[in-house]
Amino acid sequence: MKIGASTLAGLHENLEDILDFIENLGLEYAELVHQFPYENIDADFLQSYNLKYSIHSPFMDVNIASLQEKSRSNSIEQIKNSIDLANKIDAECVVVHPGLMPFLARPFEYKVYEVANSSIKELGDYGKDLGVNVSIENMPTFEGMIYKDMKKLDEILREYEMSMTLDIGHANHVGYSADEMYFDSIKHIHAHDNYGDDDSHLALGEGSIDLKRIINTFESKNYDGIYIIEVNDKDSIKKSYEFIKKNF
């Protein structure tokens, strides 16, 4: 198993501190959250660690499904910067959120998805030109989120020959059972726990998700991507890693 942790757990400290923690814990991978306060990351600095990387592209103030073209273009540009960084450091993939549908855009839902799909393809093509895997993440059940429907997301990604990032906590929040979370397009996984009522990002084993069943399914299908522990703090990374070592 390829196991790593997200720098999401260290957003209130220096990037060096959270990367030191991830490396010293014995994890092989770190997922860099490429937005404030880690918006400007030095590729040479990253090479000082014995870590391999994936990148989570910006999602704060970013909307690739925006009906405002200037907003969409700016969002695309920010994510392309993440793809460029991934190319420099040979990162395994770049995770991208599929966009949002604001309240006033609801009457134009068809157009929001049309714009989102166009943006997804543009980013996918940009990544392919650089040899970078651009992977689109399924969303939780919150107002304004699109592509909560993993089947619908899988269909568009297979059409574009792109991959999905399965966020286990998001899928559980939507209501997917453990047996419904597998799709062939999934090449990257965000692992965290919850009770289905919120996107809590709890340590593995602290919620109600049948994580053993999910991971066993992927392992039986010869999944070769990374399991990124995406939790809120360092202690939860440690607990989650211990859960994985104990159960797999």
Side-chain angles (χ1 to χ4, degrees):
M1 295 175 69
K2 298 177 181 177
I3 306 168
S6 171
T7 60
L8 177 70
L11 285 182
H12 298 291
E13 56 189 85
N14 292 328
L15 181 59
E16 182 178 4
D17 293 333
I18 185 63
L19 290 179
D20 284 343
F21 177 82
I22 291 171
E23 183 175 64
N24 292 335
L25 198 59
L27 292 169
E28 186 179 3
Y29 292 87
E31 182 156 292
L32 305 165
V33 178
H34 194 203
Q35 65 172 29
F36 181 85
Y38 307 144
E39 184 176 4
N40 300 307
I41 300 176
D42 184 347
D44 292 334
F45 161 73
L46 296 176
Q47 302 304 328
S48 67
Y49 290 89
N50 292 316
L51 290 166
K52 300 173 185 176
Y53 299 101
S54 58
I55 295 176
H56 198 311
S57 66
F59 51 92
M60 180 170 63
D61 303 328
V62 167
N63 182 11
I64 67 170
S66 176
L67 300 183
Q68 297 292 120
E69 179 55 29
K70 288 184 179 180
S71 295
R72 189 199 74 88
S73 296
N74 180 268
S75 298
I76 291 288
E77 189 62 31
Q78 290 186 58
I79 295 169
K80 284 182 177 178
N81 287 339
S82 292
I83 298 171
D84 291 339
L85 176 61
N87 182 46
K88 287 181 183 177
I89 64 174
D90 197 25
E92 293 264 334
C93 77
V94 174
V95 178
V96 176
H97 282 193
L100 301 163
M101 181 164 53
F103 176 77
L104 290 177
R106 288 180 187 173
F108 309 101
E109 180 176 344
Y110 73 95
K111 185 64 176 178
V112 170
Y113 275 96
E114 181 180 293
V115 171
N117 292 345
S118 176
S119 297
I120 288 168
K121 187 176 187 305
E122 179 179 348
L123 291 168
D125 289 344
Y126 187 81
K128 289 172 186 174
D129 286 343
L130 294 176
V132 174
N133 176 26
V134 175
S135 187
I136 310 301
E137 183 176 353
N138 63 298
M139 291 291 100
T141 304
F142 288 132
E143 186 176 342
M145 295 289 184
I146 66 172
Y147 279 122
K148 296 169 281 190
D149 184 335
M150 292 175 64
K151 183 176 180 182
K152 188 174 180 180
L153 180 57
D154 175 70
E155 289 173 355
I156 197 70
L157 293 178
R158 284 191 289 107
E159 179 182 341
Y160 295 159
E161 297 182 333
M162 293 175 65
S163 74
M164 186 193 306
T165 291
L166 165 64
D167 188 297
I168 293 174
H170 292 176
N172 190 62
H173 190 226
V174 173
Y176 284 92
S177 70
D179 292 329
E180 294 173 324
M181 292 190 194
Y182 181 85
F183 292 87
D184 287 335
S185 63
I186 294 169
K187 305 299 180 185
H188 191 69
I189 291 176
H190 286 166
H192 50 96
D193 213 338
N194 62 49
Y195 286 97
D197 59 341
D198 199 2
D199 182 28
S200 312
H201 288 260
L202 301 176
L204 305 186
E206 291 192 348
S208 62
I209 302 176
D210 191 348
L211 293 159
K212 294 180 185 179
R213 191 174 184 88
I214 295 167
I215 294 175
N216 282 334
T217 295
F218 277 86
E219 290 300 295
S220 72
K221 302 281 190 178
N222 298 314
Y223 170 74
D224 190 41
I226 314 168
Y227 296 93
I228 291 292
I229 299 167
E230 192 183 57
V231 290
N232 297 317
D233 52 65
K234 291 177 177 177
D235 187 52
S236 293
I237 291 178
K238 185 176 180 181
K239 288 178 180 176
S240 297
Y241 189 33
E242 290 170 352
F243 175 90
I244 291 173
K245 289 190 292 184
K246 178 181 177 181
N247 291 285
F248 303 100

